[in-house]
Amino acid sequence: MNAKYISKAMLSLLIISGASNSVGADLPEQGEKKKHRIEEVLVTATKRTESVQDIAGSVSALSGSAIQENNIQSFQDLAAMIPSMVAVDEEKIAIRGIGKNAGSSPVAFHVNGVFLDVRGAPFYDIGAIEVVRGPSGTAFGRNATSGAINIKWRQPESEFSTGGDIRLSGLEEQFFQAYLNIPFLGAGDDRLLGRFAAIKRRGDGTLDDILLPAAEDPGFRDDYFYRMYLTSQITDSLHGSLRAIKYSATPPGGTNTYNIVGSPSLATRLSGEIEMAGAEALPLDITKVRANRDQRLGEPHDEFTRVDGDLTWSIPELPILGRVDVVLIGGEHRSESFGSFDLDGTEEPITEGYNNISVTRRNAELRFASENRDGFDWLFGMFWYRQTELEDLKAYARVFFTPEQFGAPSLPLPVTAPGGNGFYGDMDSGRVGLSRPVKSEAVFLKLDFDIAKLFDGPNIELTAGIRQNHDETDERDQNFYADLIAVNFVPIAPVPLLDTPPSSAPAEFDVTTGELAGRWFYNESDMAYFKVATSYKPGRAQVITNAPSPSENRPIDSEFIDAYEIGWKVDLLDGTMILNLAAFLYDYVDLQVAQIKPGGVIVDNAGAATIKGVDAELQWSPTPEFNMQASLGWLDARYDEFCGKDAAEGDVETAPACNDDNPQDFSGDRLPSAPEYTAALTARYTFNLDEFGSLTPQFTTNYSASQNRRGRGNPLDEVDAYTNSSARLIWESSGLRWKVTAFVENIENNNDIFFAAQAPMIVNRPGTISLLSNLPPRIYGTSVEVNF
C-alpha cells in the first residue's frame, strides 16, 4: 500500500480514538524509538477526509484544543490567526480581500458540513474549524467566492465525561460553559452516543453610552445556547448523526449584529454638524456615545433554532464502481430577530430605525463518493436549498433640505447648517411586508486521477471538477412609504412623500463553476500544486423605488471570480516544522457594492478588480514542550473598473470614464477590508511540574497594515496599521482534570480602531461619517475549567 495512505490510516485511528489534533503528538515508527513530530491534521474541505498537507489549495485548520488554547470566541479571534483574513464583525468576513459589501456573504459558511449562509453560535466545545482560502466553486458552490468556513462540533465519545468552565474578565464578562458526554448503551458501545453542551454569557459592549448604565451599553451581550449531538454506529456500514441547537439573546442585549450603535468620527464631532442637527455635542473620545434608541424603538432580541443531521452508508463493493460511500446531510434553520440601529450615536433620532426579520432556511445534500484507491476516484453530489425571509423595516432620518430640492428658488431661510440656507426635516420611512424567497439547486462532479497508479508515471495526482448551479430569487414589497413628520425639529402633520403599491422583482441565474488542480508529491512528505478555479456569489432581485417614478426591477448580477494559485507544502527538520506557501491571482468581476442613492441603499455591480498575493503559514515544534505558529499574508486587491458615488464627499465633477449617476472613478483604489500585510505569531512553552501538573506561558500577537473601511479611496475611511496582542498563563493538574488560566487581551488597548463606516451619517450632509465595529479595550481575566 502507498505510504501516504498508511499514514492517513494511522492518523484516522488516532483521531477517532480521541487523540488531539494539536501539535506535539508522538507517532511511533517501526523499529525505532518514538520520535517527536507535528501531527498531521485531517480535514473535509474537499468533501473527502484528507490530510491538510495533501490538499491542492490553501486550507487552515484549527483543532478543538488549539481553539481553546488561543481563546477563540468569535470570528474576529479566528481571523487574527489566519493569513489575509479580516473579520469586520460576526457577519462581515473577508478572505484575500473579498468580503461582504452587500447581499449575502462571499464566504460559504457551514456548521458540521451543513450550509447556513449565516453565523453560527459561540465557539464552545468545538472539534475543529476549517478555513478554505480561495474560491471553492465545486465543493461548496454558492457563496464560495472568497472561500469557505466549516465549524465542527466536538463529536460524542464512547466514554462518559463531563466538565465545564467559568470565565470572568473585564467589561463585566461572565461566561459559564458546560458539556456532558454519555454513551447511552455503556462505555465502549458506539451504537448510541450523545454529547450535550450549554453556554451562558454576559458582557459589556465596546462603546460607552454615557446616558445609560454599563449593563445597557451598545453591544452588551446577554445570551445563551444549548445543543445536542447524537451519533449511532447502526451497523458496520451505516452511521447516523442528529444535531439540534437553540440560541437566544435576551434583552437588553442581543448581538452586535442586531443591536447596532455607530460612533460619529472625530472629524464629524468637530464639524458642528451634530449640534446643527439638534443633538448635544459628543465627547472627543470616539468610544463614547449618547444613544437611547432602545427607549424609543424597543429592546432588541435575537434567537434561532436549528435541527440537522447526516447519514453515511458505506457500500463495500459494487460492480464496476467498487466501494462507494453514500452521504445524506441536511437540516432546517429558523431565526427571529428584532434589531435596532442608531448610526448617529446621539440622543436625537438623526439616523436610526429597526428591522423585524424572520427567516427559514432548509437545505440538503446527497453525495456519492468512491473509495477505490486504484488510481481513479470520483465524487458526485446534488445540492438543494430553500430560504424564506420576511422583513419589516422602519427608519427615521433627519434630512437637510434646500429649496432647490423642491423646485423652488433659493430664498432666505433660517441658516441651520454650514454652507447654505435650508431646513431640517424628520423623515419617517419604512418597508412593510418585504419578502425574499430564494431557491438554489446544483449538481457537481469531481474526478481524481493518480498518474503513478494509472500509468506507472510520476507521483502526480490530477483533479477536475464541475458544478452546475441554478438560483431563483425574488423581492416582494407590500409597501414602501416615506413621510415628512417634522420641520426644524417642530412636529407637523405627516406629509406623504412616497407611498408605493405592492411590487415584485423576480430574477433567475444559471451558473457553471469548476476547477482543475494538480499535485506533485515529489517525496513522501512534500508536495507542490497548482489550481485553477471559478466560483460565484448568486445575484438577487432588487426593487428600486424613487418617487415620483414607478418602481424599477433592477436585478443584481452574480459575482464571478477566476482564480489561479500555486503552492508548496513541505515537512522540514524531521517532521518538527511544516511550511505552507501559496501565491494567487484573481480576476474578480461584477462585485456587488452597496451605495446610498435617492430611494435608499441600492446595490450595483461595480465593474472588476484584480487581486494578487502570497500567503505563508509556519508551524514549528522542536520539542513536545514548545510550539510556535506563525502566518504572513501579502495582498494587493484593487478595483480595475468602478464608477460610483461616495456620499461622504457631496457633489463632485464627473470623471471622464463615468456618468452623472456614478460620477466618481474608484479605479486603482483598494477594496475594503484588504490590508496589504497581515501577520500573526503564537508561541507557547509547557513546563512539567511532575505531580503538580504543568505550567504553560503563551504569547500571541497579530499585525494588520492600514486598510480602507468602504473601498472608496476616501482618507477619512483609512484604518491605521495596528497590532493586537495577548498573554496567557495556563496551569493544568497532573490528571488534566483542572485547568486555571490567567490572561490579558489587547495589551495595546487600541479600542479606538473601527473597521466599518456608514456615510453620510446625516442625510444630505457630506463629510458626516459614523464608525462601527471597534476592537475591545485591554481586558484582564481568569478562567477555571474542570473535567471528569
Side-chain angles (χ1 to χ4, degrees):
M1 183 182 287
N2 189 299
K4 184 174 64 174
Y5 288 121
I6 294 176
S7 174
K8 287 182 180 178
M10 291 174 60
L11 290 165
S12 298
L13 290 173
L14 284 169
I15 292 174
I16 291 171
S17 64
S20 167
N21 286 356
S22 61
V23 173
D26 290 332
L27 298 180
E29 297 189 8
Q30 187 175 0
E32 297 183 20
K33 183 181 177 180
K34 290 183 180 179
K35 290 184 178 180
H36 168 71
R37 299 176 60 89
I38 294 176
E39 183 179 323
E40 207 168 5
V41 178
L42 301 180
V43 296
T44 55
T46 60
K47 300 294 177 81
R48 292 181 180 273
T49 300
E50 292 187 88
S51 165
V52 71
Q53 293 302 107
D54 290 346
I55 293 176
S58 300
V59 179
S60 298
L62 294 175
S63 67
S65 58
I67 294 165
Q68 187 179 40
E69 289 162 359
N70 290 281
N71 191 40
I72 295 175
Q73 301 280 342
S74 66
F75 283 111
Q76 289 93 328
D77 298 332
L78 176 65
M81 301 189 66
I82 308 296
S84 301
M85 180 175 172
V86 174
V88 174
D89 55 35
E90 292 292 280
E91 294 283 349
K92 295 182 179 179
I93 301 168
I95 299 177
R96 292 176 172 175
I98 304 174
K100 178 181 178 179
N101 186 284
S104 56
S105 171
V107 179
F109 181 60
H110 294 67
V111 173
N112 300 310
V114 178
F115 174 70
L116 290 184
D117 194 26
V118 289
R119 75 201 192 298
F123 292 176
Y124 175 64
D125 204 38
I126 299 298
I129 298 178
E130 301 170 3
V131 180
V132 180
R133 305 192 309 280
S136 304
T138 300
F140 295 100
R142 60 178 288 133
N143 294 50
T145 319
S146 62
I149 296 175
N150 187 22
I151 297 177
K152 301 177 180 180
W153 297 353
R154 186 164 177 177
Q155 294 189 24
E157 298 165 356
S158 59
E159 300 291 332
F160 177 87
S161 64
T162 186
D165 62 271
I166 300 174
R167 169 186 159 110
L168 303 173
S169 65
L171 292 182
E172 304 298 324
E173 285 186 338
Q174 302 173 21
F175 288 13
F176 304 92
Q177 306 173 132
Y179 74 90
L180 174 65
N181 190 93
I182 304 176
F184 288 101
L185 302 180
D189 191 332
D190 58 3
R191 287 179 297 165
L192 183 58
L193 308 175
R195 193 173 185 92
F196 306 87
I199 184 172
K200 172 65 176 172
R201 305 185 299 182
R202 288 176 61 89
D204 197 3
T206 57
L207 293 179
D208 178 14
D209 192 332
I210 57 183
L211 293 181
L212 303 174
E216 297 181 31
D217 275 342
F220 174 78
R221 176 168 52 194
D222 186 356
D223 63 358
Y224 69 87
F225 84 72
Y226 48 87
R227 74 181 191 217
M228 172 191 74
Y229 193 169
L230 302 177
T231 63
S232 176
Q233 189 67 48
I234 303 167
T235 68
D236 289 342
S237 60
L238 188 62
H239 182 274
S241 298
L242 177 66
R243 297 172 288 266
I245 182 171
K246 168 71 173 180
Y247 172 88
S248 180
T250 57
T255 66
N256 288 328
T257 304
Y258 296 101
N259 188 15
I260 298 172
V261 173
S263 170
S265 67
L266 181 59
T268 302
R269 294 172 186 238
L270 290 170
S271 68
E273 294 277 1
I274 293 174
E275 297 89 323
M276 287 289 184
E280 293 187 32
L282 289 171
L284 299 185
D285 181 349
I286 61 174
T287 65
K288 296 184 180 297
V289 296
R290 296 175 56 86
N292 61 359
R293 85 271 182 246
D294 284 359
Q295 286 69 27
R296 286 191 296 272
L297 304 176
E299 294 176 334
H301 66 269
D302 175 26
E303 63 182 35
F304 69 77
T305 57
R306 185 169 67 250
V307 177
D308 62 59
D310 57 74
L311 191 66
T312 301
W313 179 26
S314 296
I315 305 175
E317 199 69 34
L318 289 174
I320 302 175
L321 298 178
R323 178 182 170 184
V324 175
D325 286 345
V326 182
V327 180
L328 175 64
I329 185 169
E332 179 179 278
H333 181 105
R334 292 178 176 266
S335 63
E336 300 278 348
S337 66
F338 176 87
S340 63
F341 59 90
D342 180 355
L343 296 179
D344 59 274
T346 73
E347 76 284 359
E348 289 292 316
I350 296 176
T351 306
E352 64 181 35
Y354 65 78
N355 297 72
N356 195 6
I357 304 175
S358 172
V359 185
T360 300
R361 298 174 174 89
R362 299 183 180 94
N363 68 70
E365 186 169 290
L366 177 63
R367 299 195 301 268
F368 303 85
S370 69
E371 291 290 343
N372 298 319
R373 294 180 179 173
D374 59 357
F376 171 68
D377 272 300
W378 53 269
L379 184 150
F380 173 74
M382 293 174 284
F383 173 79
W384 177 91
Y385 178 73
R386 295 293 185 269
Q387 175 180 306
T388 302
E389 179 178 348
L390 302 175
E391 178 181 9
D392 288 332
L393 166 66
K394 194 173 186 67
Y396 299 93
R398 190 155 286 173
V399 183
F400 183 70
F401 293 102
T402 62
E404 291 84 356
Q405 288 175 289
F406 293 90
S410 180
L411 300 174
L413 293 172
V415 177
T416 57
N421 292 329
F423 64 92
Y424 279 100
D426 282 0
M427 302 283 294
D428 174 3
S429 62
R431 301 188 75 170
V432 180
L434 176 63
S435 65
R436 298 187 182 94
V438 174
K439 296 180 180 180
S440 184
E441 295 159 358
V443 294
F444 55 96
L445 175 66
K446 189 176 179 183
L447 307 175
D448 293 291
F449 305 89
D450 189 326
I451 303 302
K453 289 183 176 181
L454 289 172
F455 307 108
D456 197 24
N459 199 3
I460 293 175
E461 296 181 14
L462 300 177
T463 298
I466 189 170
R467 185 177 184 122
Q468 181 62 41
N469 308 273
H470 176 75
D471 296 282
E472 297 178 21
T473 179
D474 199 351
E475 184 167 294
R476 302 168 185 169
D477 212 344
Q478 295 302 313
N479 179 238
F480 184 13
Y481 70 91
D483 298 332
L484 180 64
I485 60 174
V487 174
N488 278 0
F489 325 125
V490 177
I492 62 173
V495 178
L497 299 180
L498 180 67
D499 196 0
T500 68
S503 61
S504 178
E508 195 169 334
F509 306 90
D510 288 287
V511 175
T512 303
T513 57
E515 66 180 87
L516 177 65
R519 299 175 284 179
W520 175 32
F521 297 91
Y522 57 89
N523 60 41
E524 289 188 0
S525 59
D526 302 335
M527 182 263 284
Y529 70 87
F530 79 89
K531 182 178 181 180
V532 179
T534 61
S535 193
Y536 84 113
K537 186 176 90 171
R540 66 181 179 89
Q542 179 176 232
V543 176
I544 305 298
T545 303
N546 186 18
S549 303
S551 298
E552 175 190 352
N553 181 1
R554 190 194 299 177
I556 305 161
D557 292 335
S558 300
E559 293 184 350
F560 292 96
I561 190 166
D562 293 326
Y564 310 88
E565 180 173 328
I566 58 172
W568 181 43
K569 300 184 177 184
V570 59
D571 183 327
L572 302 169
L573 302 180
D574 200 19
T576 61
M577 178 180 287
I578 291 175
L579 174 64
N580 292 344
L581 297 172
F584 53 89
L585 174 66
Y586 295 168
D587 182 15
Y588 187 23
V589 297
D590 287 335
L591 294 69
Q592 296 172 9
V593 176
Q595 303 197 65
I596 298 178
K597 295 183 177 182
V601 178
I602 297 173
V603 179
D604 286 329
N605 292 101
T610 297
I611 301 173
K612 53 189 175 184
V614 176
D615 288 345
E617 289 184 296
L618 176 70
Q619 196 171 359
W620 181 41
S621 179
T623 69
E625 296 78 20
F626 178 75
N627 175 34
M628 184 191 78
Q629 292 178 289
S631 67
L632 177 66
W634 170 75
L635 183 66
D636 185 14
R638 299 180 184 274
Y639 294 108
D640 297 325
E641 304 172 13
F642 180 17
C643 287
K645 170 65 176 172
D646 183 0
E649 295 190 37
D651 294 331
V652 295
E653 291 186 9
T654 301
C658 301
N659 55 50
D660 291 341
D661 290 335
N662 296 289
Q664 292 174 268
D665 187 356
F666 299 117
S667 302
D669 289 332
R670 279 189 168 273
L671 274 62
S673 304
E676 184 175 10
Y677 295 102
T678 55
L681 174 67
T682 297
R684 55 188 281 128
Y685 190 91
T686 299
F687 296 92
N688 186 357
L689 306 180
D690 297 324
E691 68 270 21
F692 297 104
S694 65
L695 190 66
T696 303
Q698 176 176 307
F699 178 75
T700 299
T701 186
N702 62 82
Y703 166 81
S704 173
S706 62
Q707 54 184 292
N708 197 274
R709 297 185 181 98
R710 294 184 301 126
R712 299 295 196 276
N714 192 325
L716 295 176
D717 281 327
E718 197 74 10
V719 179
D720 293 334
Y722 69 93
T723 58
N724 192 351
S725 307
S726 65
R728 316 178 72 77
L729 186 63
I730 306 164
W731 173 80
E732 289 186 277
S733 65
S734 57
L736 302 181
R737 175 168 293 183
W738 291 92
K739 178 189 287 188
V740 179
T741 304
F743 57 84
V744 54
E745 298 172 354
N746 194 358
I747 295 172
E748 294 84 352
N749 196 34
N750 47 14
N751 66 320
D752 58 349
I753 298 289
F754 288 76
F755 296 104
Q758 180 72 42
M761 183 189 77
I762 306 174
V763 179
N764 289 345
R765 299 308 295 166
T768 59
I769 295 178
S770 180
L771 305 178
L772 303 159
S773 302
N774 64 318
L775 286 171
R778 183 184 301 125
I779 297 175
Y780 298 91
T782 185
S783 66
V784 178
E785 179 182 348
V786 61
N787 296 281
F788 297 96

